Amino acid sequence: METELSRTLGIEHAIFGFTPFPAVAAALTRAGGFGVLGAVRYTAPDDLARDLDWMQEHTDGLPYGLDVVMPAKKAVEGVGEAEIEAMIPEEHRAFVRATLAKHGVPELAEGEASGWRITGWMEQVARSQLDVAFDYPIKLLANALGSPPPDVVARAHDHGVLVAALAGSARHARHHAAAGIDIVVAQGYEAGGHTGEIASMVLTPEVVDAVSPLPVLAAGGIGSGEQIAAGLALGAQGVWLGSIWLTTTEAELHSRALTAKLLAAGSGDTVRSRALTGKPARQLRTEWTDAWDDPAGPGPLPMPLQGLLVAEAVSRIQKYEVEPLLGTPVGQIVGRMNSERSVQQVVDELTRGFEKAVDRINRIAGRSTQ
């Protein structure tokens, strides 16, 4: 499963995997793909350094990358977290309290800090992550919310690091190309997390045409080798997979209840909601997302206010595994995620499916597969 881009990066398979879990990213890199560690949950630089040290020890000298979140548009500028939190209306705080009380969600223990903070969505936090990351031999820097600022792109290039940015439309992709981005990830409507409104089958060739000759990765709704073959047939030089790794044995969800919900979910059990971060993000549909999407409620706040507002609530829901409210960002491919497997097993299945798809097309085209 080699392409020009995979050869440039020195990887065996053109499979790029985004994950918040170092063990998953390292396992994918060792399996011949390209692991990309999500940095958004690292609010302390020392924690990111610790896990990058671990990545160095467990990737056998093979390449890996880092994904940060630097919003293209800022809801607020020039203020810190405390000042931003002060902007949250009391009406929204009351709504959170009422929703949690309705489901009997216990409080955190006295003195226990929220384990889930969204400060990683703030540009100054992402910049502190980069101060750490560029001390390591990362080969790719990806930004989940558009093109990074010009100085970040230049800094990455000075370190010999390629820069990727996610795009939900051909217009976004052209903007990335003009900003000096090296790789565009065409992320379709089906994808988990922040995503746009155009489906992958339409989006991928549009983006390929819009930014040629820049390499494009297909993303959104991809979880089989046959779908990888389709993405490459549409002109992509690889695929960007995220959701499929959530039910691998290396994933650190720390919640059997959440894993069970993912394994049981069908492709129609997700929703694009602003409940988590303030921007539309595909996630499991739960009574939590329903509450925020209800017109009778106050509605989500813009990023990063919404993430700060719900941080403690999400921690409580996760800690106590309150099943009706328990969810996670995940794409429509969740319908295929019906068993726990290792990362290596997933990669093996993807490559076998890819080979079968290529053989099938060769037979249709009248070419021998011998």
Side-chain angles (χ1 to χ4, degrees), residues 326-349:
L326 188 62
T328 187
V330 69
Q332 292 179 331
I333 199 63
V334 70
R336 294 184 64 97
M337 295 159 49
N338 49 26
S339 66
E340 292 184 76
R341 298 162 293 164
S342 69
V343 169
Q344 183 67 63
Q345 287 174 317
V346 171
V347 172
D348 289 345
E349 183 177 297

Side-chain angles (χ1 to χ4, degrees), residues 38-51 81 113-130 132 307-308 311:
V40 71
R41 66 190 181 100
Y42 296 99
T43 57
D46 288 348
D47 291 339
L48 178 58
R50 177 202 63 217
D51 281 358
E81 181 180 343
S114 168
W116 187 89
R117 296 298 285 169
I118 204 67
T119 50
W121 302 110
M122 299 167 65
E123 182 177 322
Q124 62 265 38
V125 176
R127 286 183 177 274
S128 71
Q129 294 165 348
L130 295 179
V132 172
L308 292 170

Side-chain angles (χ1 to χ4, degrees), residues 220-295:
I222 300 174
S224 73
E226 292 83 356
Q227 290 167 319
I228 293 176
L232 299 189
L234 293 173
Q237 288 198 34
V239 292
W240 178 273
L241 310 183
S243 298
I244 197 72
W245 315 113
L246 288 173
T247 52
T248 57
T249 54
E250 292 91 346
E252 303 161 18
L253 284 180
H254 301 305
S255 172
R256 295 307 303 171
L258 181 53
T259 298
K261 288 189 76 169
L262 289 169
L263 294 174
S267 56
D269 292 328
T270 69
V271 63
R272 283 175 78 243
S273 170
R274 297 188 302 160
L276 188 61
T277 70
K279 285 184 176 289
R282 186 171 297 285
Q283 54 203 277
L284 280 180
R285 181 173 183 174
T286 66
E287 293 189 30
W288 178 256
T289 61
D290 287 348
W292 281 104
D293 293 340
D294 188 340

Side-chain angles (χ1 to χ4, degrees), residues 144-145 166-168 172 186-200 203 219-220 271-273 279-283 330-331:
L145 292 177
L166 276 64
H172 292 157
Q187 180 167 283
Y189 171 82
E190 309 94 325
H194 296 115
T195 189
E197 299 181 348
I198 304 174
S200 298
L203 179 66
V271 63
R272 283 175 78 243
S273 170
K279 285 184 176 289
R282 186 171 297 285
Q283 54 203 277
V330 69

